[in-house]
Amino acid sequence: MNLNQLEAPEHTQSPSLEMLLRKLRATEAQQDDKFANILNVVGEFGTFQQRLVALTFIPNILLAFFMFADIFMFTAQKPYCNTSWILAVDPNLSEAQQLNLTLPREPNGSFQTCLMYLPVAWDLESIIQFGLNYTESCQDGWIYPETKKRSLVNEFDLVCGKDRDTEGVQTMFTAGLLIGSLIFGFVSDKLGRYATILISLLGLAIFGFGAAFVNSFHQYLFFRFAVSQALVCYAISSVCLATEWLMGQHRAHAIILEHCFFSVGILFLTGLAYSLPHWRLLFLVGGAPVFPLISYIWIMPESPRWLLMKGKLEEAKQVLCFAASVNKKIIPLSLLDKLQPPGKKVTKVSVLDFYNNKHLRKVTLVMGCVWFTVGYSYFTLSLKLKNLGMDLHFTQVIPGIMEVPARLCCIFLLEQMGRKWSLIATLFQGSLMCLLVLILPSGREGRLRWPRCLATELKSMIIVMAVLGEFSLAASVSVFFIYTVELLPTVLRATGLGLVSLAWAGGAISSLAVNHQKLTLLPICLCCISAALALFLCSLLPETQDQALPDNLEHWFLQTRNMAEDPFAEEVVSGDGTAEVMKNTILSSTMLKSDLDILSSAPWQNASLHGRGKETDPRND
């Protein structure tokens, strides 16, 4: 029987029958995807796919390490001017005596950090008797007698006016993310996922590990600028590669676990920073694992979907056959022969398609707004925790631990709510926590004249809400990547991810700029506007759960047309069972309903025949 023949009027269908019909339509849509059929034969999650996913996990630990390493490079230091000139007068002076004779004091009695007394050609007794009166700025550098660890601050004397240079690190790193998102997303779609992953690992080895050997602060800025591009290059390419090799729930689970390893990298960085006494040693030890990743040249596969879209049919077949051999499967030749490269019109795509194509334009706008909101909210919460005066290691360990269960919770959300509503739910909770943290006063600078116990409870409440906000935003990041890669076609998937990543950097820059302003309402207004706009635009996107992965722009046009014809095609109900079982279930349900209708109408027919008598009895005819 034809599926169209099974469709009854809307008022006669039961809800369970509608659910089965929707699932059957989704299954038949996936069967039309020839590449998905081959992956089913190769094995949805065999040994080859498991090894591929494991390979993408390892570099994510290094990504987190290199991304947040700057947090521990600029630990607070208390400098004093180098006044070793007085040791020429009396080399037996202790450090305390030296500081007491050569440094002016603050009104509270502490030594000033950026001023010193002018050197004089007197003997020690004259200096002690008459004292020094004329001051100047530090001439011979600074000393750090109270510092136990070596950081960039005391390595390059980033104090007394030069401490503003530390803000340039965040600017250069964010600029690298912006440029890397714009360039390497496009490069990944041109050169392939395999080539760009190797480029990113090479960048991590040169500029990440190499940061331990810089000779000036400006060299350090350049290395951080370059390594940020390598980070975004790998993040985009690895997600695209996992997406194009895996199907359905395996795809979502792989991306979520990949992000969990990113959280493990934060804990790895925090532990090393706490135990190692020198910033150069931190880069040497933490960056050394990047060199074994050179073996990816021989073991990392290319995406067969990308090869097919580029017209490299034979290479795509070779990769698929190799994957099948690893999984101990055999692909029928008849199935391989169905793979055909797309036409020239489909392969000729450019960045301009994100403006000309309605679907791509909508996805880029919506996901860009979502990514801006996530970046702004995350950095706002991080700055809030930092301003509360909490321990630096504590502010990294607690969110890092909380992010792992947050991302794992996405598995349950995606199965129960789908991509769209999972993103809306996590984004709403994260934005709400960010708004509450901004509204509640922090009690800094003595502005609150509250009892001490009440101020302590308020601070604890802000910390809890900030951690919950980062918990929700970490989950929204994983859902965001899964949802975005399933909305974008293969031919422009990496380019689209790169374009929307620009918005994340924009949100981070906005957070840093707005929170340094004295206007307290500006951060609150920006949080409300960006969150409301992102949540509204998310509701306009279609659901992608259990849908075929788009490869080109024509695929989306056909899917959009079918969805317009079928009001139930947009929502896919999750469940277990094969297409044959669902067809039989639908047939049985329909036949059972027909039998019930006949049985229920039989008493009325008998009563009618009895009332009309023998004249109307068909047996008498």
Side-chain angles (χ1 to χ4, degrees), residues 2 99 135 151 200 212 252 270 360 389 465 517 523 525 545 553-554 577 583:
N2 195 335
L99 297 178
T135 60
S151 69
S200 64
T270 306
L360 292 179
M465 287 190 295
Q517 302 296 324
C525 293
Q545 188 174 9
L553 301 182
E554 284 186 356
K583 288 181 180 179

Side-chain angles (χ1 to χ4, degrees), residues 273-285:
Y274 183 79
S275 58
L276 297 179
H278 203 293
W279 70 273
R280 294 184 187 272
L281 190 60
L282 178 62
F283 275 114
L284 289 175
V285 176

Side-chain angles (χ1 to χ4, degrees), residues 63-73 75 170 260 262-274 282 378-379 381-387 389-405 407 463 466-467 470-471 474:
L63 255 64
F65 175 86
F66 289 122
M67 186 171 184
F68 296 103
D70 289 329
I71 297 175
F72 302 98
M73 296 295 107
T75 54
Q170 294 179 337
C260 288
F262 185 86
S263 302
V264 172
I266 298 177
L267 301 178
F268 171 68
L269 167 65
T270 306
L272 284 181
Y274 183 79
L282 178 62
Y378 187 86
F379 272 82
L381 293 175
S382 299
L383 291 174
K384 195 70 173 180
L385 287 176
K386 183 179 179 181
N387 294 336
M390 298 177 59
D391 181 72
L392 182 62
H393 299 86
F394 178 80
T395 57
Q396 297 300 313
V397 169
I398 298 302
I401 295 175
M402 293 292 291
E403 285 182 5
V404 175
R407 301 184 192 280
I463 293 174
V467 172
E470 292 187 349
F471 179 93

Side-chain angles (χ1 to χ4, degrees), residues 256-545:
I256 290 172
L257 292 177
E258 185 176 342
H259 291 169
C260 288
F261 274 78
F262 185 86
S263 302
V264 172
I266 298 177
L267 301 178
F268 171 68
L269 167 65
T270 306
L272 284 181
Y274 183 79
S275 58
L276 297 179
H278 203 293
W279 70 273
R280 294 184 187 272
L281 190 60
L282 178 62
F283 275 114
L284 289 175
V285 176
V290 74
F291 291 102
L293 300 182
I294 298 176
S295 60
Y296 280 27
I297 297 176
W298 300 280
I299 60 179
M300 181 66 73
E302 181 56 274
S303 167
R305 283 185 181 270
W306 180 86
L307 290 172
L308 191 63
M309 291 300 103
K310 290 299 179 180
K312 302 179 180 181
L313 182 59
E314 294 301 323
E315 296 181 21
K317 291 181 178 180
Q318 291 177 3
V319 172
L320 289 171
C321 291
F322 175 74
S325 64
V326 173
N327 292 338
K328 298 180 179 180
K329 303 286 185 178
I330 298 176
I331 305 177
L333 293 178
S334 58
L335 196 58
L336 281 177
D337 293 337
K338 294 181 180 180
L339 286 179
Q340 297 295 331
K344 294 183 179 180
K345 293 182 180 180
V346 180
T347 56
K348 290 184 178 180
V349 293
S350 65
V351 182
L352 296 178
D353 289 321
F354 287 94
Y355 173 78
N356 298 326
N357 186 277
K358 181 180 178 181
H359 165 67
L360 292 179
R361 185 169 63 247
K362 182 170 69 172
V363 170
T364 305
L365 176 63
V366 174
M367 290 306 179
C369 187
V370 172
W371 213 212
F372 176 89
T373 305
V374 171
Y376 174 81
S377 301
Y378 187 86
F379 272 82
T380 300
L381 293 175
S382 299
L383 291 174
K384 195 70 173 180
L385 287 176
K386 183 179 179 181
N387 294 336
L388 290 175
M390 298 177 59
D391 181 72
L392 182 62
H393 299 86
F394 178 80
T395 57
Q396 297 300 313
V397 169
I398 298 302
I401 295 175
M402 293 292 291
E403 285 182 5
V404 175
R407 301 184 192 280
L408 294 178
C409 287
C410 295
I411 298 176
F412 174 78
L413 289 178
L414 292 173
E415 292 177 354
Q416 299 297 323
M417 303 174 61
R419 274 57 165 159
K420 179 170 68 174
W421 291 107
S422 296
L423 181 60
I424 292 175
T426 54
L427 182 62
F428 174 77
Q429 183 176 351
S431 301
L432 180 61
M433 292 296 105
C434 180
L435 179 62
L436 292 176
V437 167
L438 290 174
I439 291 176
L440 290 176
S442 59
R444 291 177 300 165
E445 301 176 2
R447 289 179 294 177
L448 293 178
R449 298 180 179 178
W450 293 355
R452 184 178 183 87
C453 60
L454 186 59
T456 303
E457 291 179 0
L458 179 64
K459 181 179 179 180
S460 302
M461 185 184 301
I462 294 176
I463 293 174
V464 171
M465 287 190 295
V467 172
L468 288 178
E470 292 187 349
F471 179 93
S472 302
L473 292 175
S476 65
V477 168
S478 298
V479 179
F480 169 84
F481 272 98
I482 296 170
Y483 196 19
T484 305
V485 295
E486 291 180 349
L487 285 169
L488 294 170
T490 301
V491 289
L492 288 172
R493 181 167 291 119
T495 305
L497 274 178
L499 290 178
V500 298
S501 297
L502 296 175
W504 182 86
I509 294 173
S510 300
S511 176
L512 296 174
V514 168
N515 283 276
H516 284 89
Q517 302 296 324
K518 295 182 179 180
L519 299 175
T520 57
L521 292 178
L522 187 57
I524 298 175
C525 293
L526 185 57
C527 179
C528 293
I529 294 173
S530 61
L533 185 60
L535 292 172
F536 170 74
L537 293 177
C538 277
S539 62
L540 303 179
L541 290 178
E543 180 58 66
T544 60
Q545 188 174 9

